[in-house]
Amino acid sequence: MRQKGSLGWLKHDLTHRGPTAWLLTLGLFAFYFILYYGGRTLAGVAIPDLFTPIARALHLPSKWTFYGLLYTLAIAIGGAYVIYKYRHNRYQVIRTSVVIFVQATLAFSVPWILTIFEQPEYYFSYLWPLKMEYFYPSTILAMPLPFILFSLLGSLIMVPLLGIFFGKRWYCSWVCGCGGLANTAGEPFRHLSNKSSKAWAFEKWSIHITLFLSLVTTAFVIASWGVGENYPAFSEQAASLRSLYGFVVATLLSGIIGVALYPVGGTRVWCRYFCPMAAILGLVQKFGRYRIRVKDNMCISCGMCSTYCEMGIDVRAYAQRNQDFVRASCVGCGICAEVCPRGVLRLENRWRRDPQELSMDALLNETYRG
Amino acid sequence: MHVVIVGNGVAGTEAALAIRRRLDPSRARITLISEEHPYFFSRTALMYAYMERMQRRDLEPYEREMYRRQKIELLHNRVVDIDADAHAITLDAGTTLSYDRLLLAVGARPRMVPFEGLDEVKDGLVNFVSMQDLDHCERLTWSTTEAVVLGGGLIGVELAESFIHHGLKVSFVVREPYFWPAALAAEEGELIGAEIRRHGIELIIDRELKGIESDEAGRVSGVRLSDGRHLPAQMLGVAIGVVPNVDWLREVKTVPVLGRGIRVDRSFRTSLPDVFAAGDCAEIGGEDETPLLETIWYSAKLQGQRAASAILGDEVNYAPPIFYNSSKFFGIEYTTVGQCVGVPSGTRSLYRKHPTRPITQRILFDEARVLGFSMLGSRWDHTLLQQWIAERRPLSYVREHLHRAQFDVEFGRVDLTKFQEEERTL
């Protein structure tokens, strides 16, 4: 239903896949296209480089720093809105503050300051396989030892360990910049995620295929570094695989598709369907402590939880069947618990084995707990 | 076996799913009939759809595909006749459908009293009980600047909150001296009253509706109150409770025994053979008992499941679990368990109030044990509170363990030591 007043239709339109939403998506596509390809010539057409002059005018080293600044501003402004909106909920206030802090420091200022001190631009908030380069030998060898240690131990030990204790949320909704943008500037679009079981089935395939590709690419690149001198053809293959992965996953899926689809596809398209880091954390999460607890027999099936789940999890299906659960895709943003008008849900870190990933048909068999 | 279920609300749908859980399609054919909406939807979320927080499709708890997979046949039609001797029903479309077991889960509709001027009203009366009410509200909101809500209960608050969302000027008329004495003590009622006023609603207590005024077209134009005051209104929400939807049953060929609702025994059998009833429309109890009419979501869901057992031939002796209910008044969450109003005199009450925030707890108890909890403003695990009542725990035990029943969000746990306490005998 539209709002009253002359601008009423606009509000409705933007957050419900109307023409305004599509225009915004188109605008974001154009933004990313010029950001990535500005200054280059594609198929004989010169793409104007709009952002380098702006960056120069602002005395920023490159258009990428300018993009980082925009990104950080989006998270800070969106984050302020989210903190205000959920000011009565301390989980949301603390989580969002951490997200803003991490973005402003680890993902923006620290790498910039590092370059001032003539160190490599290093992002402590990004890890392999989200940041594939951090496992590529050529990149690793260019780094000082502490960064190498952080890259290796961070990905191989810290990520799974924290995942076991706190679920995937410690990264996906507290640290990661992709999740950070989704949970702040993306807040008005979180309800647009696809809740169908078809989307769930698709996600299971797509995310694990991306994970597989990232593993294969990493393995090829490392192998070609080790034996490349003897097998130039293999080296060439590895290099083209590396650039193909970089283009399809890093540029297309995480940047362009991931953000530009916010107004029409919801905020976590990248995180849900493609992010290899989310795939690993999701597998870890299944064996860890994190879960969503459901208060028995209290759900009124209103569906606010499912509507506002940015990962498209049908939370209501579990809640109305009194089923504690954890889904691999759950990023623990905590909005389902926040919007529940009956306080049925709670995020918990507790060792207790519950059935997980129940199919919708299995859920139909769970019933009243007397 | 062919089970026909009339009404696809929570009781009817739960019954259908419970039957399918036990009998596969080769052993039971299940037909679910509704004239309201072809698919089960969440009545409790109508306000969120009206407030644009949800879309219509979000109201449906099950994917439409589910009914096909579970082989539950859906009919969007109205039942006009029941012939229990022939085991057949007739639909509005004229078709006859035979059944082996019939479950009536036809729910309730808003209660209405013959206010002065009601006969002239053709448009502008609204409620939040059916999908049609939602259509109705959405259609009328455009041409409304002032609205009146009558009746201090849950649906009344939902209507008032939704009207405020749409920028209407809202007056909320409550007959009682404070908000919802049927469930809340005076202090809590006043706390909710303050919350209602804080959102810009004029809460008018201790007044009744005297008459409804309408314009030439029959659209509501205002109301008159018992003190002579006139309130202009283009929408009037009359939320003074619901009554079982049984009037249509007085005209069918074989009429089941009716009280306020459809009379059923504790295994949900009506007076007609192989005809059952459950949910808001069912009035449960034997000959010499006070009939039990539960019109809340939780009861309807449980009754639907229990009625399904009875239909499948199990011994069922329905007794409601220890009462509990929950709600949310604007930002204030409410949980109640056990007996909190209408308690015998001499019952003691412990009232705990947060010094600054709108958070309160009331525990009712006697010398031996706790009887009920009425909690506002923070989240509680009602199952633990229920357990303490069932275990007949004394107040001292409950006070010591109260924190265990808190269900607040992470980092948001309310510090229970800060509360001001007041004990009194009722």
Side-chain angles (χ1 to χ4, degrees), chain A residues 81-203:
Chain A
Y81 161 69
V82 167
I83 289 174
Y84 177 75
K85 182 173 176 185
Y86 300 121
R87 58 194 177 280
H88 50 270
N89 182 328
R90 281 196 72 205
Y91 180 72
Q92 297 307 332
V93 171
I94 294 173
R95 185 177 70 83
T96 310
S97 307
V98 171
V99 162
I100 298 173
F101 175 78
V102 169
Q103 174 62 31
T105 54
L106 301 187
F108 183 66
S109 327
V110 171
W112 191 11
I113 292 167
L114 283 174
T115 56
I116 293 172
F117 288 96
E118 289 175 358
Q119 296 290 320
E121 188 180 301
Y122 188 84
Y123 296 82
F124 288 95
S125 57
Y126 291 105
L127 296 148
W128 178 89
L130 181 54
K131 195 90 174 159
M132 290 282 280
E133 301 91 289
Y134 290 176
F135 266 27
Y136 292 157
S138 54
T139 325
I140 287 197
L141 293 178
M143 285 186 225
L145 187 64
F147 294 1
I148 299 174
L149 286 176
F150 186 81
S151 287
L152 295 178
L153 299 180
S155 297
L156 299 176
I157 295 174
M158 184 174 74
V159 167
L161 206 63
L162 289 175
I164 285 283
F165 281 95
F166 305 110
K168 121 197 224 183
R169 56 179 169 159
W170 82 265
Y171 189 73
C172 296
S173 14
W174 287 73
V175 173
C176 179
C178 311
L181 189 70
N183 283 165
T184 52
E187 174 68 19
F189 306 109
R190 60 158 51 244
H191 59 288
L192 297 173
S193 60
N194 189 334
K195 313 300 190 301
S196 69
S197 39
K198 284 200 184 89
W200 182 14
F202 177 77
E203 142 203 334

Side-chain angles (χ1 to χ4, degrees), chain A residues 330-344:
Chain A
C330 175
V331 289
C333 68
I335 293 296
C336 54
E338 156 60 29
V339 297
C340 174
R342 298 295 184 264
V344 174

Side-chain angles (χ1 to χ4, degrees), chain B residues 14-81:
Chain B
E14 282 297 319
L17 291 173
I19 291 167
R20 177 57 76 232
R21 204 172 290 151
R22 301 246 306 259
L23 297 183
D24 64 39
S26 66
R27 296 172 61 203
R29 180 181 162 207
I30 303 172
T31 306
L32 197 48
I33 307 172
S34 167
E35 65 161 327
E36 182 184 13
H37 191 261
Y39 297 94
F40 169 47
F41 70 92
S42 181
R43 219 168 282 288
T44 47
L46 286 172
M47 69 174 290
Y48 301 120
Y50 185 35
M51 290 170 77
E52 303 159 299
R53 293 202 197 153
M54 292 172 78
Q55 302 292 297
R56 294 282 174 116
R57 201 61 180 264
D58 299 330
L59 298 180
E60 292 172 23
Y62 300 105
E63 277 187 305
R64 295 183 172 184
E65 170 73 11
M66 188 278 288
Y67 301 97
R68 211 179 53 77
R69 278 205 317 271
Q70 297 283 324
K71 297 235 168 19
I72 294 171
E73 294 167 37
L74 303 180
L75 284 179
H76 190 198
N77 213 316
R78 173 190 173 82
V79 175
V80 292
D81 199 16

Side-chain angles (χ1 to χ4, degrees), chain B residues 149-199:
Chain B
V149 178
L150 177 70
L154 297 181
I155 296 182
V157 178
E158 291 180 0
L159 277 169
E161 187 172 348
S162 310
F163 289 154
I164 283 294
H165 169 84
H166 287 289
L168 310 184
K169 182 179 177 296
V170 183
S171 309
F172 193 178
V173 182
V174 175
R175 189 173 59 176
E176 294 85 7
Y178 64 87
F179 177 76
W180 211 23
L184 300 173
E187 289 94 336
E188 286 93 324
E190 268 143 32
L191 189 115
I192 301 298
E195 175 78 357
I196 291 171
R197 291 192 168 109
R198 195 171 70 79
H199 283 84

